[in-house]
Amino acid sequence: MSKRDGATPTIRRPAPRAKPPAEPVRSNRARAVSELLPAIGGAAFRRFGFVQSALVSRWPEIVGEKLARASAPESIRFPVGQKADGTLTLTVHGAYAVMIQHVVPEIVERVNRFFGYTAVARIQIRQGEIAATAGAIRRAPAGIRAVPEEMGEGLKSIADPELRAVLESLAAGVAATRGLPKVS
């Protein structure tokens, strides 16, 4: 067709361009320390079988001081896809294994009471050396007040018993020292 015939000429338009791909979200971005810190301890405990680190730190409260001196929780292994009916592995010092074996039902009951559900169905005992319990509450030496008078009622308002006990121990230790700390 020509222009004389009265037909409108066709205008060629360029083909639409494809949009550039969106930039992926960076995984190695800068993060705040507060964003990373809670996950560090939790990841380490989960790696070794602990879903709740309080079981390790509060072991003397759960089973009692006598059993805690002879044993320590090592790991909890759950069946695949479940968070109940797990196996708690205990490291027990030497000949105490026989004594612990006799009180296994009581330990299972106490651990499940601590979790609030049937988290542990059986206990596996492994003989080994027990590390010094850092989580155990240290008692103030005789003759020293547990909490100095300067602290007053301040520590009694703390709701968490574990935190309160640690702060009381710290206050007693500070009160027991005289002068400036020595740097070696």
Side-chain angles (χ1 to χ4, degrees), residues 93-155:
H93 181 72
Y96 289 102
V98 176
M99 179 183 76
I100 296 289
Q101 196 170 15
H102 287 288
V103 293
V104 161
E106 186 177 342
I107 293 173
V108 168
E109 178 186 336
R110 288 180 180 191
V111 170
N112 288 337
R113 190 178 323 136
F114 172 76
F115 278 111
Y117 67 99
T118 310
V120 174
R122 56 182 284 252
I123 292 183
Q124 181 178 12
I125 298 173
R126 193 178 70 79
Q127 287 184 329
E129 291 299 317
I130 306 297
T133 54
I137 301 169
R138 293 184 185 99
R139 305 285 184 235
I144 297 176
R145 288 179 45 96
V147 180
E149 289 182 28
E150 296 87 40
M151 295 304 291
E153 298 292 320
L155 291 176

Side-chain angles (χ1 to χ4, degrees), residues 36-54:
L36 297 172
L37 198 56
I40 293 171
F45 277 115
R46 276 192 302 278
R47 179 174 177 220
F48 293 107
F50 282 103
V51 291
Q52 190 171 10
S53 60

Side-chain angles (χ1 to χ4, degrees), residues 60-84:
E61 292 176 40
I62 295 169
V63 297
E65 290 290 332
K66 185 177 178 183
L67 293 177
R69 276 187 255 123
S71 66
E74 186 178 299
S75 66
I76 297 178
R77 303 286 179 202
F78 295 102
V80 178
Q82 295 182 7
K83 291 293 181 192

